[in-house]
């Protein structure tokens, strides 16, 4: 499966730059973009679902610790809009947190595909592609 669009939701602009660079360098996705806030990400997804379904991402990388709306708050709202998407989206928690509590908590959200430890390297992108985006 070709990954057309990837969306990063993370308040760390340097991390976002590195993620996008690694995605381009490893041909992970045709287009990658980011939002700096959870609410901005929700607004972007809602707008795309309503007005531009071709712009919905195939994959989302979501940071846990962000101001105003953390990942858990984002996911609680995300579950109310995901049924508007015409295709399923693979959502990954992307965090520097190695706390078991965070990893376990992410598993309680059925829309979370996996928990990835930062940084999002070319190697981790390759593993994600092979494990979750293999052509059927």
């Amino acid at each position: 499966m070709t990954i057309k669009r990837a969306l990063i939701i993370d308040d760390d602009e340097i991390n976002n730059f590195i993620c996008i660079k690694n995605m381009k360098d490893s041909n992970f996705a045709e287009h990658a973009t980011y939002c700096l806030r959870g609410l901005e990400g929700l607004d972007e997804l809602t707008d795309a679902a309503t007005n531009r379904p071709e712009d919905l991402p195939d994959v989302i990388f979501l940071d846990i610790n962000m101001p105003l709306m953390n990942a858990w708050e984002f996911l609680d709202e995300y579950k109310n809009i995901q049924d508007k998407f015409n295709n399923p989206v693979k959502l990954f928690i992307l965090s520097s947190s190695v706390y078991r509590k965070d990893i376990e908590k992410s598993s309680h959200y059925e829309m979370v595909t996996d928990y990835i430890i930062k940084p999002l390297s070319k190697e981790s992108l390759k593993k994600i592609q092979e494990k979750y985006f293999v052509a059927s």
Side-chain angles (χ1 to χ4, degrees):
M1 172 184 170
T2 301
I3 302 169
K4 293 187 187 276
R5 297 189 170 279
L7 174 64
I8 304 158
I9 303 173
D10 192 332
D11 62 316
D12 183 341
E13 290 193 65
I14 293 170
N15 176 70
N16 295 340
F17 174 80
I18 292 167
C19 287
I20 289 173
K21 180 174 183 345
N22 284 338
M23 284 184 203
K24 286 180 182 175
D25 290 350
S26 60
N27 295 315
F28 179 79
E30 292 175 18
H31 180 73
T33 189
Y34 67 88
C35 295
L36 294 171
R37 303 281 183 265
L39 189 55
E40 179 187 350
L42 284 172
D43 289 345
E44 171 63 27
L45 291 166
T46 302
D47 180 54
T50 305
N51 303 309
R52 305 170 280 108
E54 68 279 2
D55 289 344
L56 282 166
D58 298 304
V59 61
I60 297 171
F61 293 100
L62 177 65
D63 185 34
I64 292 179
N65 297 311
M66 295 180 287
L68 306 178
M69 177 183 273
N70 65 28
W72 316 124
E73 295 163 326
F74 175 92
L75 291 170
D76 289 339
E77 294 298 320
Y78 179 84
K79 66 182 158 193
N80 298 322
I81 65 166
Q82 69 179 352
D83 63 336
K84 297 177 183 177
F85 302 167
N86 51 0
N87 293 314
V89 176
K90 302 268 191 224
L91 191 150
F92 297 88
I93 298 293
L94 178 64
S95 180
S96 55
S97 172
V98 293
Y99 295 117
R100 180 173 305 282
K101 180 180 107 184
D102 286 335
I103 297 168
E104 287 174 2
K105 187 171 185 173
S106 75
S107 71
H108 295 284
Y109 288 89
E110 65 182 39
M111 71 283 287
V112 174
T113 303
D114 206 345
Y115 191 102
I116 310 294
I117 304 294
K118 287 181 182 178
L120 188 61
S121 66
K122 292 175 195 171
E123 293 77 21
S124 58
L125 287 166
K126 183 177 181 189
K127 287 178 184 176
I128 290 167
Q129 255 181 325
E130 290 171 352
K131 185 171 183 180
Y132 299 106
F133 293 96
V134 190
S136 354

